[in-house]
Each structure stands twice: as C-alpha cells, then as structure tokens.
Amino acid sequence: MDFERIKEKLAILADAAKYDVSCSSSGSNRKNKGKGLGDSSGMGICHSYTEDGRCISLLKILLTNHCIFDCAYCVTRKSNDIKRAAFKVQEVVDLTINFYRRNYIEGLFLSSGIFKDADYTMERLIQVAKKLRLEENFNGYIHLKSIPGSSDELMQEAGLYADRLSVNIEIPTVSGLKLLAPDKNHEDFMKPMNKVKNEILRNREEKKILKSTQKYAPAGQSTQMIVGATGETDRDIMYTATHFYRNYNMKRVYYSGYVPVTTDPRLPALTSAVPMLRENRLYQTDWLLRFYGFDIRELLNEDHKNLETDIDPKLSWALRNMQHFPVDINKAEKQMLARIPGIGLKSVQKIIKARRFRSLNWEHLKNIGVALNRARYFITCNSNNWEKKDLTSERIKNLILKSSGSKFSKNYSPQLSMFDT
C-alpha cells in the first residue's frame, strides 16, 4: 500500500466532504453482540457531544471528488480546477477499520462525487458498507449518501448495511436548482428519497410479524439544503423542509449557509459572508416546528416571509401575537407554556411538576431555569413584586435586546443602542 498516496487522498477527500453537514447518528441502535467491532447504539457521530461532554467523531470523506456535473455552488464541479482523487473500495474499508482500532472514530460518513453515472457511484458506496458489515463484522455507525437518480434496487440494498441514508436536495426550490445546476433533474432527488421512505415503512411492518427481519436504515434518512446561494426566502426554505418532514418522514433537515467557492454571476460574490446567523434562525425554526407544536404558517407566511435576525423566531411570534399574553404560569396548559419566550421544554416539565405543590412566583421560576429577562413580559405568577406595564411589542423587543447577549450581536443593527431602558 502506498501510504503517502493514501495520505494525500485522505487530505483531498476529507477536505471536500466538509461542506456536507447532514450527518448525525440519532435514532440508530445497531448493537454489538460481542464478536464484532463497534457499537452504534446510543452514540452520537460527527463531532457531536454526549451528556458527559465527550466528543464523538467519524471518518467523514468522499469516495471521490470527480464529478460529471457542473453545479455552480459545488467545489467539486467538473469545471473547477482542483486536485482530483478517488479511493478504492478496499482503501475506505481499511481506513475505517484502522481508524476505529486506534479509537479515532466511532463510524463512517461516506459521500461521493458522481462519476460515470448514479448507479455506478451508488454501487461502490454500497460495496464499502457491505464489506465493513460482512467481512469486517463492523457494527459501528455508517451513514451513506444516496446518489440522486440511483435505482430502487440499489437504494433497497443500501439500507440493509447503512444506519442512515441521506440525499441532499441542495437547493430549496426547483427554479433555484435549474438556475445553478441545469444538468440535474429535481425528480432524481425525490426518487431515492421516496424509495427509502417506503422501505423503512415496509421494514417496520415486517418486523411486527417477524422479529428476525433485517433492519433497514434504522436511523432513518436526512437531507440538506444550501442557504443563501439563490434568492429563496426563509418561508420558501422552511415550507420545503416541512414538506420533507411530512411526506418523507425525514429524521432531520439540515441547513448549510452557502460558502462562496467561485466567481459566478448567478452566485453571491466571493467576498460575501457565510450567512451563519440566518442558518441559526432556520435551525431554531425547525426546532419549534418539530418539538414545540408550532405550525409553519404561524412563523412564516405571506406577511412574514423572512425570519428576523436580531431575535429568535419564538420571540418574534410572541411579539406579533400579544393577544395571547400574559399567560398565568400557574394555570396555563403545557402547549401554551412552551410558546412563552424564555421557557424551554425542560422548564415546561419542571413548571408542571412544581405547581402541583405550590403556586409559583418569580424566585421559583428563576430557580427552575426560566430566562426571566424574556419571559417576564409574557407571564404572570404568584407575586406582587412585578407591576405589569403597558408596553408595546417594539418596546418589549428593545428592552429584551438591551438585556441580552449573543455571539451574533455584532450583526444586529447599531440603531438598537439608541433606545434607553
């Protein structure tokens, strides 16, 4: 084995893989029966952190950065003058096992540029996973990218060896994809995504009848959208994400701020900043939809097409719907408690438990962990120490911003300093 060449390939193909953020092991429970390598049950992968603070990582690489497509937003597009490389199937297997034995990784995240055609590329990705499972008896986490346009037969086989599958939708809208990747067909993204969804559902029903049925993609599937490469609004992006959650049973939709990689009149300038704050607000919105009971139309609609950058989406919704407030913290139902700015789901559970024994006041709420610098404008409790003020939404917003700190504060409007307390 030419170790220097392998090292060079690893440097090239690991660097090329960094633009894909759609990796997570949540939901996988593949167990080691004592005779194999690795155990993905209960583990987080790809720079995730466990409850005790441990950083969990994986080998995240492309099989190759050769590609037949010329997508304007992609660093591996065929017209880009970059150093190219490709791993052999066995090289990826050997790297994974050797890295695992040295305790560098707990699993593998394998993607690829598309060379020759979709099926040829997908076959090679499957070969890697199949060799790891059957020849190396590897039970660690494996995440394979689903190649757009791959056949149903290959997608069915891929899920038998991978914990999670994902096909990146890349651009949130059909028009945006046509603008930046005219060689690609939107339906090619949907086909493998739909096959994986149907196979997961079928596998779930089969396991009810026959417990020995082989697992199929036990960690489900995910996708990723690039944010800021085209002119989509936040409403466009989140309505697309909601569509995938509802119709394809997605485990996660990831949002990746566009990193300028080329000079192209269709794209933001090379000097443009990566929209990190926007990306952060989209993730917050995603969380509200998945766990807090919000409907997408409450957060983004025709009158409110983009998220506010200086405040989070839950506070934004509350300020636009002051008719629901103030809420009596000692009487409100669970769903309404979760909609109060400054109160997270853990605090909601603590409030519901604590108020069974006493009527809660401001001190109790502070001890529970409620962020009173935000919540106090939207709630009442058992206390005479707070005098309700007749404040407008704009005034409340300014008061909260004045008392809050954020790593994104430098992106906020300097005009905020003009408001007094």
Side-chain angles (χ1 to χ4, degrees), residues 149-357:
S150 297
S151 68
D152 286 352
E153 292 75 17
L154 287 174
M155 293 315 305
Q156 195 277 332
E157 185 179 17
L160 298 177
Y161 304 105
D163 293 284
R164 175 168 287 186
L165 296 166
S166 61
V167 54
N168 288 352
I169 194 64
E170 298 178 0
I171 302 299
T173 62
V174 176
S175 59
L177 183 69
K178 187 172 292 186
L179 173 68
L180 298 181
D183 295 336
K184 287 187 174 179
N185 186 339
H186 183 263
E187 288 305 313
D188 287 341
F189 293 89
M190 301 299 105
K191 183 182 175 183
M193 200 180 287
N194 195 55
K195 177 62 176 177
V196 172
K197 179 199 75 171
N198 291 334
E199 284 297 320
I200 290 173
L201 293 175
R202 184 180 65 81
N203 184 259
R204 191 178 301 163
E205 292 303 313
E206 285 187 3
K207 286 190 74 67
K208 292 178 182 178
I209 301 171
L210 191 62
K211 298 296 183 184
S212 60
T213 300
Q214 186 174 351
K215 294 177 180 178
Y216 181 90
Q221 66 173 327
S222 59
T223 190
Q224 172 180 302
M225 291 185 285
I226 298 171
V227 175
T230 43
E232 289 87 5
T233 64
D234 293 336
R235 177 182 179 274
D236 295 330
I237 294 168
M238 292 311 306
Y239 274 57
T240 299
T242 301
H243 171 76
F244 287 131
Y245 279 126
R246 289 177 178 171
N247 296 289
Y248 293 91
N249 298 331
M250 285 290 162
K251 278 284 187 177
R252 287 291 304 274
V253 175
Y254 292 85
Y255 312 94
S256 178
Y258 172 67
V259 179
V261 294
T262 184
T263 300
D264 190 305
R266 295 169 294 175
L267 290 166
L270 274 174
T271 54
S272 300
V274 178
M276 296 299 294
L277 178 53
R278 186 183 184 192
E279 178 185 308
N280 178 258
R281 295 298 184 221
L282 290 169
Y283 276 115
Q284 290 175 328
T285 303
D286 185 286
W287 209 254
L288 292 179
L289 297 174
R290 293 166 61 212
F291 301 110
Y292 281 76
F294 281 88
D295 185 279
I296 182 60
R297 292 165 293 186
E298 296 179 282
L299 302 172
L300 291 161
N301 48 55
E302 281 296 325
D303 297 324
H304 192 72
K305 293 183 179 181
N306 288 297
L307 299 167
E308 296 181 70
T309 55
D310 52 355
I311 57 175
D312 66 81
K314 184 159 77 163
L315 176 56
S316 176
W317 173 84
L319 291 173
R320 287 182 281 116
N321 292 273
M322 291 300 292
Q323 69 274 15
H324 296 299
F325 302 102
V327 171
D328 187 336
I329 210 74
N330 290 298
K331 297 179 181 179
E333 295 182 356
K334 179 180 179 180
Q335 185 177 12
M336 193 61 211
L337 288 174
R339 288 174 171 245
I340 300 170
I343 299 183
L345 294 182
K346 288 185 179 180
S347 292
V348 169
Q349 296 297 334
K350 291 178 182 179
I351 288 169
I352 291 174
K353 290 179 181 179
R355 71 187 187 184
R356 295 174 186 169
F357 305 100

Side-chain angles (χ1 to χ4, degrees), residues 14 17-27 43-49 56-61 107-111 141-145 163-168 219-225 251-256 283:
K18 68 185 179 183
Y19 297 99
D20 196 326
V21 300
S22 59
C23 41
S24 169
S25 66
S26 57
M43 286 187 176
I45 304 293
C46 190
H47 306 323
S48 296
Y49 289 85
I56 308 297
S57 58
L58 80 167
L59 177 59
K60 181 181 179 183
I61 54 175
L108 171 68
F109 178 95
L110 184 62
S111 183
Y141 177 77
I142 297 178
H143 183 152
L144 293 183
K145 300 302 295 187
D163 293 284
R164 175 168 287 186
L165 296 166
S166 61
V167 54
N168 288 352
Q221 66 173 327
S222 59
T223 190
Q224 172 180 302
M225 291 185 285
K251 278 284 187 177
R252 287 291 304 274
V253 175
Y254 292 85
Y255 312 94
S256 178
Y283 276 115

Side-chain angles (χ1 to χ4, degrees), residues 319 322 376-377 386-397 399 421:
L319 291 173
M322 291 300 292
R376 64 179 181 173
Y377 300 104
W386 175 251
E387 180 183 348
K388 183 178 179 300
K389 297 180 180 179
D390 186 17
L391 299 173
T392 64
S393 295
E394 190 64 26
R395 181 64 172 160
I396 292 173
K397 175 181 176 179
L399 288 170
T421 57

Side-chain angles (χ1 to χ4, degrees), residues 63-110:
L63 185 63
T64 181
N65 64 346
H66 290 278
C67 194
I68 63 174
F69 291 110
D70 201 28
C71 307
Y73 49 81
C74 185
V75 70
T76 63
R77 66 194 180 280
K78 67 180 180 181
S79 64
N80 198 15
D81 184 19
I82 58 171
K83 185 175 280 190
R84 305 285 178 173
F87 279 121
K88 296 176 182 177
V89 168
Q90 191 60 46
E91 289 174 339
V92 178
V93 172
D94 292 341
L95 277 172
T96 304
I97 296 302
N98 286 321
F99 277 33
Y100 182 83
R101 290 187 186 279
R102 288 166 174 77
N103 201 30
Y104 295 157
I105 61 168
E106 279 81 19
L108 171 68
F109 178 95
L110 184 62

